[in-house]
């Protein structure tokens, strides 16, 4: 073998060696580095997720602490006692007689991360003073909900009976905070209070007199106008007057509130009844709904919760109907 051939052979062997070394380096170093890169990417994704959870936790914690400052107390017994004392104090503050009112604990209900407490209040007094009481209780900045309101005439003229539930929450576990114990003050001459005067202007508790020839207000007309549809009508109240339930429907298009009573025509159906049974709120586990409108269209019954439009109705099965409607259902389904 001449020197030229030998040199060429060594060059080929050297090149092959370099290729082999390259594959060895790739197998020993590059592949583990790629695996490390993949792990780094996965860890970054996990860190981003943890950071988002951290921000969500901090936002929720801030919201909970802000809400805690609006609670009546950190302990259920403390909050319930303080709430009861405040209710009594507000009754006296609006010039109602404490002796004309009773209050009973409405029972406690466990919720995820909280406990619901409250009182059932019933009593009687002049209608303007009762409206003052409802106003100041609603204006209290602390966490509360007023529900199941019912008004009816008392034995004495000019007086009404009122019944409602006043509820609040206690967080479990409760963060450290100093509850506000002062009695909330509300301006009874404010425009917000004057909105309640519409209840007095309706004057539903006054009996019809012989000289009353004025046409009924538009609010009591059946809800059957051609320019109103289910999408525009929202249930804003399911109250009771003279022990008769009624549904208040707000027409968003015409900015008008209409009152409908059971048995009256409601668009292409009729208002079957106002159901006051406490039932789970649809789609919200742990939350109760204490009243709903039941709308009959043809042979079917539909439920509409307060705050929903008629278009958001849900169909009721026979098992979900109140007992008083089940005979009607059986009659309508019989041949």
């Amino acid at each position: 073998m001449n020197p030229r051939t030998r040199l060429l052979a060594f060059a080929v062997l050297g090149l092959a060696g370099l290729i082999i070394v390259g594959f060895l380096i790739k197998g020993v170093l590059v592949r583990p580095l790629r695996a490390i890169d993949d792990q780094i990417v996965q860890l970054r994704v996990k860190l981003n997720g943890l950071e988002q959870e951290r921000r969500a936790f901090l936002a929720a914690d801030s919201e909970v602490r802000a809400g805690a400052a609006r609670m009546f107390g950190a302990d259920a017994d403390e909050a319930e006692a303080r709430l009861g004392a405040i209710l009594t104090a507000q009754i006296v503050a609006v010039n109602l007689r404490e002796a004309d009112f009773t209050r009973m604990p409405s029972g406690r209900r466990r919720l995820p991360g909280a406990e619901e407490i409250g009182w059932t209040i019933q009593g009687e007094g002049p209608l303007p003073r009762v409206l003052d009481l409802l106003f100041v209780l609603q204006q209290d900045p602390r966490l509360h909900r007023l529900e199941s309101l019912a008004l009816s005439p008392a034995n004495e003229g000019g007086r009404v009976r009122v019944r409602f539930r006043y509820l609040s929450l206690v967080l479990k576990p409760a963060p450290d905070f100093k509850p506000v114990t002062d009695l909330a003050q509300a301006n009874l001459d404010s425009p917000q209070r004057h909105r309640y005067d519409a209840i007095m202007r309706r004057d539903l508790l006054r009996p019809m007199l012989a000289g009353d020839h004025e046409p009924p207000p538009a609010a009591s007309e059946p809800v059957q106008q051609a320019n109103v549809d289910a999408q525009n009508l929202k249930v804003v109240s399911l109250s009771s007057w003279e022990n008769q339930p009624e549904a208040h429907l707000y027409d968003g298009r015409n900015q008008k509130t209409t009152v409908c009573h059971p048995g009256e025509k409601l668009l292409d159906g009729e208002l079957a009844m106002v159901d006051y049974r406490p039932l789970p709120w649809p789609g919200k586990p742990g939350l109760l709904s204490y009243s709903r409108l039941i709308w009959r269209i043809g042979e079917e019954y539909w439920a509409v919760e307060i705050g929903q439009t008629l278009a958001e109705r849900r169909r009721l099965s026979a098992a979900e109907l109140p007992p008083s409607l089940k005979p009607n259902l059986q009659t309508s389904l019989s041949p």
Side-chain angles (χ1 to χ4, degrees):
M1 182 181 293
N2 57 42
R4 181 182 178 87
T5 303
R6 187 181 299 111
L7 181 61
L8 182 60
F10 283 134
V12 171
L13 290 174
L15 180 60
L18 289 174
I19 294 174
I20 293 173
V21 171
F23 277 109
L24 290 174
I25 292 175
K26 182 178 180 180
V28 174
L29 297 178
V30 176
R31 288 180 181 175
L33 288 176
R34 287 181 177 176
I36 292 174
D37 288 340
D38 292 339
Q39 292 179 1
I40 291 174
V41 171
Q42 294 176 5
L43 288 174
R44 283 177 177 172
V45 172
K46 186 177 292 186
L47 285 174
N48 288 335
L50 292 174
E51 180 62 25
Q52 292 178 0
E53 291 182 3
R54 176 178 174 275
R55 288 196 295 265
F57 170 80
L58 292 176
D61 183 68
S62 177
E63 185 175 351
V64 167
R65 291 184 182 278
R70 297 175 54 220
M71 293 193 306
F72 288 88
D75 176 75
D77 292 333
E78 172 194 358
E80 191 173 69
R82 181 172 290 124
L83 177 55
I86 287 175
L87 288 169
T88 301
Q90 293 289 31
I91 289 171
V92 175
V94 296
N95 295 320
L96 288 168
R97 293 178 55 201
E98 181 182 351
D100 291 336
F101 282 79
T102 62
R103 54 180 177 87
M104 296 179 58
S106 59
R108 298 178 185 178
R109 184 164 61 101
R110 294 189 178 278
L111 301 172
E115 186 173 8
E116 184 183 79
I117 55 105
W119 295 83
T120 297
I121 308 299
Q122 58 183 1
E124 67 174 63
L127 179 57
R129 301 289 77 77
V130 170
L131 296 181
D132 286 343
L133 175 62
L134 297 177
F135 172 71
V136 297
L137 292 178
Q138 283 284 58
Q139 292 297 113
D140 196 307
R142 283 162 290 204
L143 198 63
H144 71 274
R145 185 171 81 247
L146 192 153
E147 62 181 30
S148 302
L149 172 65
L151 291 167
S152 61
N155 294 329
E156 299 180 20
R159 292 170 65 86
V160 296
R161 295 192 184 97
V162 62
R163 187 179 186 275
F164 59 91
R165 300 174 74 229
Y166 200 75
L167 307 174
S168 186
L169 291 177
V170 175
L171 299 180
K172 297 288 184 179
D176 293 333
F177 74 100
K178 184 178 181 180
V180 178
T181 58
D182 296 337
L183 193 66
Q185 303 295 324
N187 183 8
L188 297 179
D189 292 326
S190 65
Q192 290 82 4
R193 167 60 184 87
H194 292 313
R195 294 175 184 173
Y196 287 61
D197 293 339
I199 299 176
M200 291 190 295
R201 288 196 295 269
R202 289 185 62 194
D203 202 11
L204 293 182
L205 303 182
R206 180 176 63 85
M208 181 64 70
L209 301 177
D212 292 338
H213 299 297
E214 296 183 0
S220 62
E221 297 174 353
V223 184
Q224 52 186 343
Q225 294 90 340
N227 63 337
V228 176
D229 56 37
Q231 186 65 42
N232 293 325
L233 284 179
K234 177 183 290 187
V235 180
V236 295
S237 176
L238 295 171
S239 56
S240 174
W241 286 85
E242 296 187 289
N243 296 321
Q244 296 298 320
E246 58 185 27
H248 295 235
L249 304 168
Y250 178 71
D251 177 4
R253 176 180 297 176
N254 300 314
Q255 297 185 349
K256 176 182 178 182
T257 300
T258 305
V259 178
C260 187
H261 301 88
E264 293 182 351
K265 182 174 176 61
L266 179 58
L267 296 184
D268 52 349
E270 72 170 13
L271 175 58
M273 71 175 296
V274 177
D275 182 14
Y276 291 112
R277 295 176 300 166
L279 297 173
W281 192 284
K284 299 180 179 179
L287 184 63
L288 287 181
S289 166
Y290 291 91
S291 60
R292 65 209 53 83
L293 176 153
I294 297 184
W295 186 17
R296 179 176 179 175
I297 304 177
E299 305 300 332
E300 298 178 343
Y301 289 88
W302 305 78
V304 186
E305 305 290 339
I306 291 181
Q308 291 183 331
T309 66
L310 296 185
E312 297 175 284
R313 62 188 182 273
R314 73 180 190 283
R315 186 177 178 180
L316 296 176
S317 65
E320 294 176 305
L321 286 173
S324 60
L325 290 182
K326 290 182 179 179
N328 296 336
L329 182 65
Q330 296 297 329
T331 302
S332 64
L333 295 180
S334 62

